[in-house]
Amino acid sequence: MVKEEVQQLLNQLIQIEHISTTLYLAMSAYLDRKNYTGMARWLRLQSEEERTHMLTLIDYLTGKDGIVKLSDVPQQPSDFGTPLETFESVLEHEQYVTNAYRQAYDYITQVDPQTTVIVLEFLREQIDEEAQALTIEERLKLANNNPSALLLMDQELGQRQNAGGTA
């Protein structure tokens, strides 16, 4: 059986991933409504990726005979502003997630070396998550609300493939 404090920590990370998946799904729906279908697709796939992270943590915790405690997820906004403002929120959220995993790693290394491996895996993935969000944010700043540039960005982001490589 997993230690109580490790179980609590993993449940906190599960909750963060749960919030992430709903946040990105809400952003996707918003941008889809605004006809930024490529950006909406990118965020929908990001939502699915975050759900996969949540399920991985759930499977890990239950595999150690731990108890998963899913909490309510706060209602997400229905308006995220411009595409730039939306992706600024994405970057801010990814930085929050990175910080949560960093704190989890600092703690878990002292109490459960086995769980350290999974937390480190997610912490490493956050490097890519933040880099992608930062690149999109910076490119949207370059677009400077130019409709042609925004449509090109939208088209490019719509080319994203899911982790399995299919649409």
Side-chain angles (χ1 to χ4, degrees), residues 68-98:
V68 173
K69 297 179 181 176
L70 295 175
S71 302
D72 290 339
V73 176
Q75 182 174 340
Q76 300 301 321
S78 58
D79 187 323
F80 294 92
T82 65
L84 174 58
E85 290 167 334
T86 302
F87 279 93
E88 286 173 338
S89 294
V90 170
L91 178 59
E92 182 180 304
H93 183 73
E94 289 300 335
Q95 291 167 337
Y96 165 78
V97 173
T98 298

Side-chain angles (χ1 to χ4, degrees), residues 103-166:
Q103 290 177 8
Y105 178 79
D106 289 346
Y107 174 76
I108 207 71
T109 56
Q110 300 170 25
V111 297
D112 188 344
Q114 186 179 19
T115 302
T116 299
V117 174
I118 195 164
V119 172
L120 182 59
E121 180 181 314
F122 282 111
L123 188 55
R124 282 187 180 140
E125 186 167 335
Q126 282 305 118
I127 295 169
D128 184 51
E129 301 279 343
E130 279 192 42
Q132 285 181 47
L134 180 61
T135 298
I136 294 168
E137 178 193 46
E138 288 177 347
R139 295 192 63 213
L140 285 167
K141 284 179 182 176
L142 286 173
N144 196 26
N145 285 325
N146 176 303
S148 297
L150 286 174
L151 288 174
L152 283 173
M153 277 285 303
D154 186 59
Q155 184 178 25
E156 179 183 330
L157 291 176
Q159 300 300 312
R160 178 180 179 176
Q161 300 292 307
N162 69 13
T166 60

Side-chain angles (χ1 to χ4, degrees), residues 16 31-32 42 46 64 72 86 94 155:
I16 288 170
L31 287 177
D32 194 36
W42 192 95
Q46 190 64 30
K64 293 181 71 68
D72 290 339
T86 302
E94 289 300 335
Q155 184 178 25

Side-chain angles (χ1 to χ4, degrees), residues 11-33:
N11 274 302
Q12 289 170 357
L13 295 175
I14 289 167
Q15 180 68 5
I16 288 170
E17 297 294 354
H18 197 188
I19 290 169
S20 298
T21 192
T22 59
L23 174 64
Y24 293 149
L25 192 57
M27 289 175 167
S28 173
Y30 171 73
L31 287 177
D32 194 36
R33 190 176 83 233

